[in-house]
Amino acid sequence: MTQVFGHNYIGGQRSAAGTVILHSIDASTGEALPQAFYQATAQEVEAAAKAAAAAYPAYRALSAQRRAQFLEAVADELDALDDEFIALVCRETALPPARIQGERKRTSGQMRLFAEVLRRGDFYGARIDRALPERQPLPRPDLRQYHRSAWGPVAVIGASNVSLAFSTAGGDTAAALAAGCPVVFKAHSGHMATAERVADAIIRAAEASGMPAGVFNMIFGAGVGEALVKHPAIQAVGFTGSLKGGRALCDMAAARPQPIPVFAEMSSINPVIVLPQALQARAETVARDLTASVVQGCGQFCTNPGLVIGIRSPQFAAFTEQVARLIGDQPAQTMLNAGTLSSYGKGLQKLLAHPGIEHLAGDPQAGNQARPQLFKAQASLLVDGDEVLQEEVFGPTTVFVEVADQAQLVAALNGLRGQLTATLIGEPADFAQFGELTGLLEQKVGRILINGYPTGVEVCDAMVHGGPFPATSDARGTSVGTLAIERFLRPVCFQNYPDNLLPDALKNANPLRIQRLVDGRPSRDGL
Amino acid sequence: MTQVFGHNYIGGQRSAAGTVILHSIDASTGEALPQAFYQATAQEVEAAAKAAAAAYPAYRALSAQRRAQFLEAVADELDALDDEFIALVCRETALPPARIQGERKRTSGQMRLFAEVLRRGDFYGARIDRALPERQPLPRPDLRQYHRSAWGPVAVIGASNVSLAFSTAGGDTAAALAAGCPVVFKAHSGHMATAERVADAIIRAAEASGMPAGVFNMIFGAGVGEALVKHPAIQAVGFTGSLKGGRALCDMAAARPQPIPVFAEMSSINPVIVLPQALQARAETVARDLTASVVQGCGQFCTNPGLVIGIRSPQFAAFTEQVARLIGDQPAQTMLNAGTLSSYGKGLQKLLAHPGIEHLAGDPQAGNQARPQLFKAQASLLVDGDEVLQEEVFGPTTVFVEVADQAQLVAALNGLRGQLTATLIGEPADFAQFGELTGLLEQKVGRILINGYPTGVEVCDAMVHGGPFPATSDARGTSVGTLAIERFLRPVCFQNYPDNLLPDALKNANPLRIQRLVDGRPSRDGL
C-alpha cells in the first residue's frame, strides 16, 4: 500500500504546517477516507509561490529538449502507477476503472505530445527580418523574434470532473511546464489522494531529470486558490471549473496591482442542432447516440450536450419522444461528489420551476445518485436570452427546444452566449439548405462538429477546447491540444544581436532545424 | 482647401447631433483652430458601436483577399493626401513636415504589409489532424483548426504622440481591419482635424472597395472612450496612451458583464545599459547618439530612453559629464499640446523634488516649450523599486543611474517593471562578461537591442512593440508589426466537416496554397 501523507509540496519538499484537516470522500459511499490532508497555511501558499518563482530563472533557461525529457519522465511515471492507484481514483470519483485507465493514458499522452511540440519547435514562432543596410531613407536593422516563457510561475486550479487529464498533471500543468513556467497546483478537494499520488509522480520525474526544486508545487485546501492568485509571484492562472468560480478569479487577477491573465474554462451548454433530413434518414440512431452523449460519465463533461434544437415537424416531435423514452430508461449514476450532486439538484429545480419549460422524462431526483432528465423549453426563451437556458446544468440532462422555422433557428443561435462546442446533425441536403450556420456558429464557439457528439475531446494539434465568454475567459486560447502552450508564451524581439548571443532558435545556422519565417518566407534552412 | 466638418462618422455617414463643441489647437501658437468638432452624444456612441456590429457578419465573411484590397485602397488614399494635409498635421502637432511625411509613408506601408500578411496566409495558423479510423481503442475524427476574427467590433483609442501611425489609420486599426473586425475609432483631441482627413481617406477606400458601411466609424469627444469600451457590441479594445488611462480602460473592460480584452500600450522607461568596454572604446559616439535618441521628436516616443545605467568608473563619470554637456546644449522644443507639456513639467518636478535624485543639466522648465533635462539617481532607488524611477516622464529627459558593480547591475535590472525595450551598449568583451543580461532582460521586456537606440520602431514581421505590465496590459501581443493581427484572432476547430463545407484555408486541396501543419508536419501541399 503506497502511503498517502496529505502534505503540501513546496519546493520539492513535503510541508504540513497547518491545523485545518481535510478528508477525501469515497464518492460511492459518501464516507470519509482515513487519510488526513493538511490545508496549506497562508505562509505555505506564500512559500509555494516563492518556490516556483525561485525555480523560474533556472527552469526557463533549460533548453526545450531538456523540458521535453522532463515531460516524458512525467508521462513514464504516470504510466507506471499501479492498480492500487487506479482503485484509489475510482474510489474518489465513482468512475469505472476503464475510464480512469483511459484517462491516465490520455494524460501521459498529453505530456508526450507537448514533448514532441518542444522538439518540433513550431511553438517558437521564429521570425527573422534581416538587416537592409542600403534601405532609404533609413537602413533596417536586423530583427529576430521568437516566443518563449516570460511569465513566471503559473497557478493551476484543477477541475473536479476530470481528475487526471484536467488536474494535477493535466493539460494546464503540461502546457505551463512545456512553456517553461513552474507550476503551483491547487488540488481539488474532490480527489486529494489522487492528486498526491500524481504529484509524487511529477516530483519523482523532476528529480530524475534534474529539474530545479520548485518546478512543481502543490497545495491543498479551500480558499487557498484565492491567496495564490493574488500572490505577486504568480504570473498567470489556469482554471477549469464553474462560471462563478472562474469569474471570481478573473476579477481578482484583474484587480491586482499588476494584473495577470486567467485562462478559465468555465461554462458551456454545447448546443446540438438536429436538422430535418437527418431526422428523416436516421432519427433512431441520432436519438441513441445523443442520449449516450448526454449521460456519458454521468453528464460530467465540459462538452456535455445541454441543449438540443430542432425545427418543428412531426419528425422532430417523434424524435423528442424517442429521446424521452431513452432518457427515461437510463439508470441513475453516482456523481463525483456530494457538491456536484447538490448542484445538479439545484439546476434541475430551476428548470422544473420555470413556466416556459416542460419536464419530459426522468424520475424525480432523490437519494445519492443523479437521475437522467429531459426537458423541453419554449424557443422564445433562447431568442430572448433567458438566463435559465444559458446556464450549464452539470449532470445527465439536456433541454430540447423546438423552433418554428429556419429564421427562428438563426435567431435562437444568435441568442446564445459563447460555447465550447456546437454540433450539427444533418445530411448533405441540410447543409445546402442551412449554409449560414457555419459562419454563425464560428462567432459563438470554439469547435463545430458535424455528425458527431461533443463529448470526447481529442488531444492533438488541431483541437480547440475554448470559446468566447462565458465558455472561457479568453477565447484566444485552448486548454486542450498543443496550441494550449501559447497561453504561457510571449514574443521577444532581438535587434542587431550578434549571432553568438542569439538563442539557438534564431541563430543564422538554424541549429535546431526549425521552421522560421525569414524575410516573409517560411524556411527551414540556415541563413 | 479641403473642408473639415468636425462630424462623427457612423455607419459611413456623417453625424453631428451633439451640442458640446470642441476645438483643435495650433500646437505651436496655442491658438484654437476655427473648425468646430462635435463631441459624440451617448446616442452617437451607441450608434457607432451598433453600426460596427451590423457590419461585422458581412465584413468577416469577406475573403482575406478582399480585405487585403481594402487595406491597399486605404494605403493609396493616405499616400494621395496633399501638402495641405501635411501642413494641417504639422499645425496640430508642431512636428516638422519631414517627420509627418515619413510617418504617413510608414502608415500606408503598414496597411500594405498587413495586406501582404492576408495574402501570405500564415495568420490562419492552419492545422489539420486527419482522421484515424483504425485507431484503438477509439478512432480519431478529422480535426482542422484555423484562426479567424471571431470577436466583433474593436474600439481603438488613438495616441496623442503619433498622429498617423498610432492613430486613425494606425497599427491597431490596421490589425483589427486585417483580422476582419470593424473598428470604432475614438479620435484624440490633440489632432482632430488630422483624424478627420484620415477617416475620410478610410471611408473613401471602404466605399471604393465595396466594404459594408460601418466597417470603420469615428467619434470625437472627451470621455466617449469610456462609453465605447462599456458598450456590449464592442468585443476588444486597442489603446495607446498613459498607464493611468490604460489601466482605467482595463478595469472597465474586466468589470463588464462580458469581460473583453484590452490591448493597451502604456508606460515604459526603456533602460539603456552602457557597458564598460564600450565606454573605453567609444564614449563620445555613444554620448552623442544617446542624446539624440533622448531628444528625438521632443522625447515624445513610447520607446524614449528614460533610464541609463552604467557601472561606477572614471569612464562612466566622464561619460555622464559628456551627456550632461550635450543635453545642456539641446534647444527647447514645442510639445504636441499643452497637456503633454504640463505633464512633462509635473514629471520633472517629481524628479527634482526627490532627495535621491540630482539634477545634472537643463535650464529650468519655463514658457511653452520643453527643455531637455538630465538627472542622476541613486542606484538604491532602482534596486528597491522606488516608484519615481519606474514612472515614465514623457518628454526630452533621462535619468542616469550608476551602479557599484555587476551584482548591483543585476539587482537594479531585477527591480525594473515590464518594459517595451532594453538596450545594451557594449563590445564583445562586455557581452562575454555580462552574459546573464540577455536572459534577465528577456523576462522584463519585449525587445532587446544591442548597440542601437530604442526610438525608431520598425514595422515588420519580427518586431515586438509590447512587454510585461505596465509596458502593456497583455504581454502576449505587439502593437507594431504583423504579429499584431493575432490580438484580434482566435482559433476555431472543425470536427468531421465535409470538404465542401470547410473554409478554403482548411480544404483538402489547399486552394489558398498556404502553409499548414498537417499531422504534425508543415506542408504547403494538398492532402
Side-chain angles (χ1 to χ4, degrees), chain B residues 144-497:
Chain B
R144 304 184 183 211
Q145 176 194 107
Y146 77 155
H147 282 69
R148 70 164 301 157
S149 140
W151 286 100
V154 174
V156 176
I157 298 178
S160 67
N161 61 332
V162 188
S163 54
L164 301 175
F166 279 69
S167 190
T168 320
D172 284 345
T173 298
L177 291 178
C181 300
V183 166
V184 182
F185 181 75
K186 191 270 184 202
H188 195 278
S189 58
H191 50 265
M192 292 186 285
T194 300
E196 175 163 337
R197 293 291 310 273
V198 174
D200 271 338
I202 299 174
I203 300 278
R204 282 196 300 275
E207 285 172 357
S209 45
M211 294 296 121
V215 69
F216 178 83
N217 310 272
M218 182 169 75
I219 54 176
F220 292 110
V224 299
E226 183 176 331
L228 192 58
V229 169
K230 289 180 175 171
H231 195 282
I234 297 298
Q235 294 299 301
V237 181
F239 168 87
T240 307
S242 70
L243 175 55
K244 200 177 146 201
R247 180 67 196 250
L249 291 180
C250 290
D251 290 348
M252 269 175 231
R256 286 167 46 126
Q258 175 222 3
I260 56 172
V262 176
F263 304 102
E265 194 263 85
M266 301 182 292
S267 171
S268 182
I269 54 174
N270 304 298
V272 174
I273 299 125
V274 185
L275 296 170
Q277 297 301 322
L279 285 182
Q280 292 278 11
R282 49 190 165 95
E284 266 188 60
T285 320
V286 174
R288 214 168 39 237
D289 294 347
L290 176 63
T291 303
S293 181
V294 170
V295 303
Q296 193 190 340
C298 198
Q300 299 168 122
F301 286 106
C302 317
T303 51
N304 192 54
L307 183 69
V308 178
I309 310 178
I311 296 177
R312 186 175 305 146
S313 70
Q315 288 78 17
F316 188 66
F319 172 71
T320 306
E321 276 173 36
Q322 243 169 333
V323 173
R325 272 198 303 278
L326 289 166
I327 288 279
D329 289 347
Q330 299 300 311
Q333 291 180 69
T334 302
M335 293 197 88
L336 288 161
N337 53 59
T340 310
L341 182 68
S342 154
S343 295
Y344 181 57
K346 285 182 198 151
L348 295 180
Q349 280 307 323
K350 274 198 198 169
L351 295 173
L352 288 164
H354 197 291
I357 298 176
E358 185 186 348
H359 183 241
L360 296 187
D363 291 332
Q365 186 58 24
N368 63 358
Q369 287 197 310
R371 292 161 193 236
Q373 309 286 346
L374 186 68
F375 296 88
K376 184 176 168 186
Q378 290 167 7
S380 59
L381 298 185
L382 256 193
V383 176
D384 302 341
D386 191 284
E387 286 286 321
V388 76
L389 278 199
Q390 305 277 352
E391 281 173 22
E392 182 179 12
V393 179
F394 197 71
T397 185
T398 194
V399 179
F400 270 54
V401 167
E402 192 178 80
V403 294
D405 51 24
Q406 188 162 354
Q408 200 183 35
L409 174 62
V410 168
L413 295 178
N414 270 319
L416 281 175
R417 299 181 190 164
Q419 306 292 339
L420 294 173
T421 72
T423 301
L424 300 173
I425 305 290
E427 295 291 298
D430 287 319
F431 302 127
Q433 187 188 341
F434 296 88
E436 78 266 48
L437 292 187
T438 293
L440 200 166
L441 291 172
E442 271 197 325
Q443 299 172 51
K444 296 281 180 183
V445 315
R447 176 166 57 116
I448 316 178
L449 300 86
I450 281 189
N451 293 328
Y453 293 90
T455 42
V457 184
E458 184 73 27
V459 182
C460 61
D461 291 316
M463 175 52 63
V464 178
H465 190 66
F469 184 89
T472 76
S473 57
D474 187 336
R476 284 181 301 152
T478 171
S479 59
V480 177
T482 59
L483 198 76
I485 193 176
E486 293 195 357
R487 297 173 301 164
F488 305 116
L489 297 173
R490 73 174 180 91
V492 177
C493 172
F494 298 89
Q495 180 168 329
N496 253 353
Y497 249 62

Side-chain angles (χ1 to χ4, degrees), chain A residues 340-354 357 365 373 375 388 391-394 397 399:
Chain A
T340 309
L341 182 67
S342 153
S343 294
Y344 181 57
K346 283 182 198 151
L348 295 181
Q349 280 308 323
K350 274 199 198 168
L351 294 174
L352 289 165
H354 197 293
I357 298 176
Q365 186 58 24
Q373 309 286 344
F375 295 88
V388 75
E391 282 172 23
E392 182 179 10
V393 177
F394 196 72
T397 185
V399 179

Side-chain angles (χ1 to χ4, degrees), chain A residues 127 129 135 146 148 247 256-257 438 442 445-448 458 461-462 474 476 482 490 493 495 497, chain B residues 127 129 135 146 247 256-257 438 442 445-448 458 461-462 474 476 482 490 493 495 497:
Chain A
R127 295 171 162 213
D129 289 311
R135 191 183 64 173
Y146 76 156
R148 69 165 302 160
R247 179 68 197 249
R256 286 168 45 125
T438 293
E442 270 197 326
V445 316
R447 175 166 56 116
I448 316 177
E458 186 73 29
D461 291 315
D474 187 337
R476 285 181 300 153
T482 60
R490 73 173 180 89
C493 172
Q495 181 168 328
Y497 250 63
Chain B
R127 296 172 160 211
D129 289 312
R135 192 182 66 174
Y146 77 155
R247 180 67 196 250
R256 286 167 46 126
T438 293
E442 271 197 325
V445 315
R447 176 166 57 116
I448 316 178
E458 184 73 27
D461 291 316
D474 187 336
R476 284 181 301 152
T482 59
R490 73 174 180 91
C493 172
Q495 180 168 329
Y497 249 62

Side-chain angles (χ1 to χ4, degrees), chain A residues 136-475:
Chain A
Q136 290 303 327
L138 287 171
R140 179 171 83 177
D142 183 280
L143 288 153
R144 303 183 185 214
Q145 175 195 107
Y146 76 156
H147 281 69
R148 69 165 302 160
S149 140
W151 287 100
V154 174
V156 176
I157 299 178
S160 67
N161 61 333
V162 188
S163 54
L164 300 175
F166 280 69
S167 189
T168 320
D172 284 344
T173 297
L177 292 176
C181 300
V183 166
V184 182
F185 181 76
K186 190 269 182 202
H188 195 278
S189 59
H191 49 265
M192 293 186 285
T194 300
E196 174 164 336
R197 291 292 310 274
V198 174
D200 272 338
I202 299 175
I203 300 279
R204 282 196 300 275
E207 287 172 356
S209 45
M211 295 296 119
V215 69
F216 178 83
N217 311 272
M218 182 169 76
I219 54 177
F220 291 110
V224 300
E226 183 175 331
L228 191 60
V229 169
K230 288 181 174 170
H231 194 282
I234 297 298
Q235 294 299 301
V237 180
F239 168 86
T240 307
S242 70
L243 175 55
K244 199 178 148 199
R247 179 68 197 249
L249 291 178
C250 290
D251 289 347
M252 270 176 229
R256 286 168 45 125
Q258 175 222 3
I260 55 172
V262 177
F263 304 102
E265 193 264 86
M266 300 182 292
S267 171
S268 183
I269 53 172
N270 304 298
V272 174
I273 299 126
V274 185
L275 295 171
Q277 297 301 322
L279 285 182
Q280 292 279 12
R282 48 193 166 96
E284 266 188 58
T285 323
V286 175
R288 213 167 41 237
D289 294 347
L290 175 64
T291 302
S293 181
V294 170
V295 303
Q296 192 190 342
C298 198
Q300 299 167 123
F301 285 107
C302 317
T303 50
N304 192 54
L307 183 68
V308 178
I309 310 178
I311 296 177
R312 186 175 307 144
S313 70
Q315 288 78 18
F316 188 67
F319 172 71
T320 307
E321 274 171 39
Q322 241 169 336
V323 173
R325 272 197 304 277
L326 288 166
I327 288 280
D329 289 347
Q330 299 300 313
Q333 290 180 70
T334 302
M335 293 197 88
L336 288 160
N337 52 60
T340 309
L341 182 67
S342 153
S343 294
Y344 181 57
K346 283 182 198 151
L348 295 181
Q349 280 308 323
K350 274 199 198 168
L351 294 174
L352 289 165
H354 197 293
I357 298 176
E358 183 188 350
H359 183 242
L360 296 188
D363 291 333
Q365 186 58 24
N368 62 0
Q369 289 197 310
R371 292 163 194 234
Q373 309 286 344
L374 186 67
F375 295 88
K376 184 176 169 186
Q378 290 165 6
S380 59
L381 299 184
L382 256 192
V383 176
D384 302 341
D386 190 284
E387 285 287 319
V388 75
L389 277 200
Q390 304 279 350
E391 282 172 23
E392 182 179 10
V393 177
F394 196 72
T397 185
T398 196
V399 179
F400 270 53
V401 168
E402 191 177 81
V403 292
D405 50 24
Q406 188 161 355
Q408 199 182 33
L409 174 62
V410 168
L413 295 177
N414 270 318
L416 281 174
R417 300 182 189 164
Q419 306 291 339
L420 293 173
T421 72
T423 301
L424 299 174
I425 305 290
E427 295 291 296
D430 287 318
F431 303 128
Q433 187 188 342
F434 296 88
E436 78 267 46
L437 293 187
T438 293
L440 200 167
L441 292 172
E442 270 197 326
Q443 300 171 49
K444 296 281 180 180
V445 316
R447 175 166 56 116
I448 316 177
L449 301 86
I450 282 190
N451 293 329
Y453 293 90
T455 42
V457 184
E458 186 73 29
V459 182
C460 61
D461 291 315
M463 176 52 64
V464 177
H465 190 65
F469 184 90
T472 76
S473 57
D474 187 337

